[in-house]
Amino acid sequence: MRTAVYPGSFDPPTNGHLDLIVRAAGVFDRLIVAVGENPAKSALLTSQEKVDLLREVCAAYENVEVRPFSGLLVTFARSVGATAVVRGLRAVSDFEYEFQMALTNRALDSGVETVFMATSADTMFVSSSLVKEVAALGGDVSQFVPPAVARCLAAKLGVRAE
Ligand code: PNS
């Protein structure tokens, strides 16, 4: 059985993440969506909120599990029997950071391979940071995130969900 981990900070989960999850779940036997922390970013949602939202939006996909993790990604991947880490590439601008991360992870554990998947054309511009900015300024984010996420953001930021 081929197990892959799809890690991210998911702050918040977007339709771009969901698109990747659905396509990666079609390629691997088991996909673990791993909610981690990126020390370079300050989070709006708690890890538990992200896990709950992702479990809700991934409920229809039987081979997808959602789990929080802390510490090194490769250690988590090993602990769940994963041999691959899936990352989405939206544009050339993602590449440098993703390439560095892939090579660092390979240097830490050569048994965990990074697999890049291109996002779909209609979500390639969607980013969690811009979704947060639009939501905080009272804009409608319903075209960028699943409905449960839009409701959570509205509640969190004290604005009205569309
Ligand atoms: O969605 P993001 O913010 O790009 O996700 C980044 C994440 C959480 C996958 C990355 O920061 C990560 O793997 N953190 C775990 C710590 C780790 O293993 N660091 C070394 C990897 S280069």
Side-chain angles (χ1 to χ4, degrees), residues 43-157:
L44 173 67
L45 305 185
T46 65
S47 176
Q48 192 59 52
E49 285 169 328
K50 297 174 192 177
V51 168
D52 290 345
L53 286 168
L54 282 161
R55 284 192 177 142
E56 187 175 339
V57 301
C58 296
Y61 307 101
E62 282 181 1
N63 62 338
V64 176
E65 291 166 40
V66 181
R67 301 219 201 153
F69 81 100
S70 54
L72 283 179
L73 175 60
V74 288
T75 307
F76 175 75
R78 279 270 173 197
S79 76
V80 294
T83 49
V85 166
V86 176
R87 293 285 289 175
L89 281 181
R90 287 172 301 192
V92 179
S93 53
D94 281 343
F95 185 75
E96 196 172 336
Y97 168 64
E98 293 299 334
F99 193 59
Q100 255 184 332
M101 228 167 55
L103 293 191
T104 305
N105 284 331
R106 186 189 291 158
L108 292 171
D109 186 340
S110 59
V112 180
E113 197 62 61
T114 299
V115 175
F116 293 118
M117 292 183 85
T119 60
S120 64
D122 52 342
T123 59
M124 68 174 288
F125 64 95
V126 177
S127 77
S128 294
S129 330
L130 287 181
V131 164
K132 277 186 284 193
E133 184 174 320
V134 172
L137 295 170
D140 175 12
V141 293
S142 60
Q143 60 182 313
F144 308 130
V145 297
V149 175
R151 287 193 297 274
C152 174
L153 286 176
K156 201 86 196 177
L157 295 164

